Amino acid sequence: MATSTTGSTLLLPLSRAVQLPVDQVNFVACQVFALLAAIWFRIYLHSSKTSPLIRHVVATLLGLYLALFCFGWYALHFIVQSGIAYYIMIAGRLENMHKFCFVFALGYLTLCQIARVYIFDYGQYSADFSGPMMIMTQKITSLAFEIRDGIFCKEEELTPSQRRLAVRRMPSLLEYLSYNCNFMGILAGPLCSYKDYIAFIEGRSYQLKQFEANGKEDPKHEQKEPCPNSAVIHKVIVSAVSLAFYMTATRILPVEYNIDEQFQETSSVLNRIIYLYLSLMAARPKYYFAWTLADAINNAAGFGFQGYDKNGEENWDLVSNLNIKQIEFSTSFKMFIDNWNIQTALWLKRVCYERATYSATAKTFLLSAIWHGVYPGYYMTFFTGSLMTLAARRIRNNARHHFLHSSELMFVYDVITWIATQVAISYTVAPFVLLSVKPSLQFYSFWYYCLHIACILVLLAMPARARKKGREEEKAPISQPVGHQRTEDNISEQNSHSTTNNNSNQREETAWRRPSAAQ
């Protein structure tokens, strides 16, 4: 257990009591504090009685304090990265400013990740300062592209989503720092658009129109200000359960046991598969906890309202980052990806996929790998995942239509694809958890690279058969991996979490992961 930290040591006794690294205890404590501060912020600094200036200042100062408490002097990296990027924005030429910001922000993040991994504490699975910098990099690059779209580009050159998110004036330094360093998202995000955040600070996010029955906006009626209490309570409960499950299950089911030689030699193949699935499933609640609590913090402050559904129910999933039910019951790689780290997927689409002039998919995967970090296990996971995605698409194209003749056969298909997806996901992400080269290669060698070989054989043996348009079965809610034909455009709409919708239908935002995305 790590007892040293560059952040505060005030909670070191608690760290020893719960047997967790002090920086992780600091992170949880700061997020709990942020949750309480968010409630206070919404009630006592409400936009109806507090100026945007005060709200910006308070949100920024609280965020910087939390960063200093967690990371100490490492928090200076947040200021340096944000400050230099802002200078590039205001001093650079608009037509190229977004490229310079992108290269600088991603390069600075990569240097910090290299220093953290190979100089300081390789393999430590603790809260580190590069984590918040990953979110900050997303915000800096997103804003740079949005400013360029809003000030330099012509309307007809932009996609509908780019026009909606375009920023028409250069943000002030305070607005910029508030967006990057606010207490609601500085530690765990999630990413949000600059326009949504400014609308929240200025009190315009609730000025949404009442929807008519046909889904159009009716400007004659305005909804009363919604209350996030029920959404916050629900998400806090989910976070607490996830944390408790993670702390319990990972001690019983460590991922590292998958590479234990005695376990590999004495256990049957079935037992090894079951343990692989259970151990990787036990590792996921860490992310469920962090992302769901971060979502709850934003909601508690009054940020994250997405509008009303057709039944008039409030939707507080504007910045939600995952859909746990869809993840755990995924029947395809695509379905899993569509509901995991949703805001990062939107960022990849906005800054890379839809702007790439060639090899958009390859560039997007590469950017995702670089952004995640420099651990070799990350790159192994992304390489394996690309093979899995292509093979899964090929199998589905050639096999699924045989199961559509009855509900019983479709149920059998769903069970088979669920088992296959969960095993494949576990096999793919094991290096992501193991991190370094030796244990990752050891893990795959224990399995004789069986799924790698199987994927290659599938790609060589099965035809890439084009599917007919208009088939009734294509309406089934089963998602597909990257790179499909346009004919599958409506398939994965039902699988994507509602958080892929922003204030105006963000389903198009996840198009880069859908067959309809044009390269």
Side-chain angles (χ1 to χ4, degrees):
M1 182 186 70
T3 57
S4 61
T5 177
T6 57
S8 173
T9 57
L10 180 66
L11 300 178
L12 187 57
L14 178 61
S15 168
R16 291 169 175 162
V18 298
Q19 297 183 347
L20 285 174
V22 65
D23 52 358
Q24 291 186 3
V25 173
N26 284 347
F27 172 81
V28 175
C30 283
Q31 287 296 78
V32 172
F33 173 82
L35 179 65
L36 299 176
I39 298 172
W40 170 81
F41 189 85
R42 176 169 57 88
I43 295 174
Y44 294 100
L45 294 183
H46 192 275
S47 58
S48 63
K49 54 187 178 182
T50 308
S51 69
L53 175 65
I54 299 299
R55 284 165 63 86
H56 277 305
V57 169
V58 172
T60 304
L61 291 179
L62 282 176
L64 293 176
Y65 172 76
L66 294 180
L68 286 170
F69 187 90
C70 278
F71 308 110
W73 68 268
Y74 281 133
L76 291 176
H77 286 292
F78 306 163
I79 302 298
V80 172
Q81 186 190 37
S82 297
I84 296 177
Y86 185 71
Y87 176 78
I88 295 173
M89 289 181 188
I90 61 176
R93 299 178 63 181
L94 282 174
E95 60 266 33
N96 295 317
M97 170 270 294
H98 62 300
K99 296 179 182 179
F100 294 140
C101 279
F102 181 86
V103 172
F104 165 74
L106 192 64
Y108 193 91
L109 170 66
T110 301
L111 289 176
C112 289
Q113 289 172 330
I114 291 173
R116 190 246 168 184
V117 170
Y118 294 105
I119 297 177
F120 297 114
D121 55 355
Y122 187 95
Q124 291 296 315
Y125 236 168
S126 58
D128 69 281
F129 71 97
S130 66
M133 287 187 68
M134 293 168 71
I135 304 298
M136 203 164 291
T137 298
Q138 290 182 340
K139 291 184 175 182
I140 290 170
T141 53
S142 294
L143 180 57
F145 278 92
E146 290 163 3
I147 292 172
R148 190 246 187 189
D149 291 342
I151 300 178
F152 178 76
C153 295
K154 298 178 181 179
E155 289 286 324
E156 57 269 20
E157 297 174 348
L158 305 176
T159 67
S161 63
Q162 288 171 354
R163 283 194 293 271
R164 177 175 54 78
L165 296 173
V167 176
R168 307 296 176 181
R169 66 171 180 84
M170 188 66 67
S172 68
L173 179 60
L174 178 60
E175 290 171 330
Y176 173 81
L177 289 176
S178 177
Y179 173 59
N180 277 330
C181 303
N182 67 81
F183 73 95
M184 301 174 295
I186 192 169
L187 296 184
L191 172 68
C192 62
S193 76
Y194 175 79
K195 290 184 72 173
D196 285 336
Y197 178 75
I198 293 300
F200 155 70
I201 290 292
E202 295 178 354
R204 294 183 284 108
S205 59
Y206 293 146
Q207 297 172 4
L208 302 174
K209 307 298 187 280
Q210 186 177 18
F211 282 90
E212 298 176 344
N214 61 5
K216 296 181 179 179
E217 291 183 354
D218 180 5
K220 297 180 180 179
H221 302 89
E222 290 188 0
Q223 294 281 4
K224 65 178 181 179
E225 183 172 312
C227 179
N229 290 346
S230 59
V232 171
I233 292 172
H234 170 75
K235 291 174 182 180
V236 168
I237 292 174
V238 170
S239 299
V241 172
S242 298
L243 179 61
F245 182 83
Y246 171 74
M247 293 180 64
T248 303
T250 51
R251 294 175 181 178
I252 301 173
L253 300 166
V255 175
E256 292 75 14
Y257 194 58
N258 284 287
I259 57 175
D260 182 82
E261 293 186 5
Q262 183 177 0
F263 171 71
Q264 293 289 336
E265 293 172 357
T266 59
S267 299
S268 66
V269 173
L270 180 60
N271 285 340
R272 288 163 58 189
I273 292 174
I274 293 174
Y275 186 86
L276 174 64
Y277 164 68
L278 292 177
S279 61
L280 269 298
M281 181 186 68
R284 286 197 287 268
K286 175 178 67 174
Y287 301 96
Y288 298 165
F289 161 73
W291 290 342
T292 306
L293 181 57
D295 192 13
I297 292 169
N298 281 271
N299 292 169
F303 183 44
F305 179 65
Q306 187 164 289
Y308 298 85
D309 61 23
K310 61 182 179 180
N311 298 319
E313 297 294 328
E314 298 173 4
N315 187 338
W316 285 89
D317 290 336
L318 177 65
V319 293
S320 292
N321 225 3
L322 77 170
N323 185 333
I324 297 175
K325 181 178 178 181
Q326 293 291 335
I327 289 169
E328 296 299 338
F329 292 97
S330 295
T331 56
S332 72
F333 244 72
K334 174 69 167 56
M335 187 175 177
F336 185 97
I337 294 171
D338 274 351
N339 293 280
W340 176 269
N341 207 355
I342 295 169
Q343 302 305 321
T344 293
L346 296 181
W347 172 70
L348 291 169
K349 184 259 182 180
R350 291 167 181 166
V351 304
C352 183
Y353 189 89
E354 70 180 9
R355 300 177 191 270
T357 55
Y358 63 93
S359 302
T361 300
K363 289 181 177 180
T364 303
F365 272 109
L366 179 61
L367 173 59
S368 181
I370 294 173
W371 175 80
H372 272 90
V374 293
Y375 284 117
Y378 294 168
Y379 293 84
M380 292 186 187
T381 288
F382 280 104
F383 171 75
T384 305
S386 63
L387 276 180
M388 295 287 182
T389 301
L390 294 172
R393 179 190 70 182
R394 194 70 60 87
I395 293 172
R396 186 177 191 276
N397 281 349
N398 287 272
R400 182 175 179 271
H401 62 278
H402 295 297
F403 293 85
L404 298 175
H405 304 296
S406 69
S407 58
E408 290 80 8
L409 285 175
M410 197 63 205
F411 175 76
V412 171
Y413 177 84
D414 288 341
V415 171
I416 293 174
T417 53
W418 177 80
I419 294 173
T421 298
Q422 298 304 320
V423 172
I425 288 289
S426 301
Y427 178 91
T428 299
V429 303
F432 196 94
V433 180
L434 295 172
L435 298 177
S436 56
V437 174
K438 184 177 179 180
S440 298
L441 292 178
Q442 187 177 4
F443 169 79
Y444 281 141
S445 64
F446 279 143
W447 286 98
Y448 301 102
Y449 296 87
C450 58
L451 293 190
H452 289 85
I453 297 172
C455 288
I456 294 173
L457 292 177
V458 165
L459 293 174
L460 292 175
M462 285 190 174
R465 185 170 57 85
R467 296 156 66 165
K468 297 179 181 179
K469 292 184 180 181
R471 282 185 176 179
E472 182 178 348
E473 62 264 26
E474 293 308 318
K475 298 178 182 178
I478 298 179
S479 297
Q480 287 301 304
V482 175
H484 271 260
Q485 296 82 5
R486 290 178 178 270
T487 55
E488 297 179 25
D489 195 20
N490 294 326
I491 300 172
S492 59
E493 292 289 348
Q494 300 176 43
N495 282 336
S496 296
H497 191 212
S498 60
T499 55
T500 59
N501 301 317
N502 221 322
N503 284 339
S504 60
N505 200 353
Q506 266 190 2
R507 284 178 182 172
E508 62 181 285
E509 295 291 356
T510 51
W512 71 270
R513 294 180 296 182
R514 297 201 174 105
S516 61
Q519 298 184 23

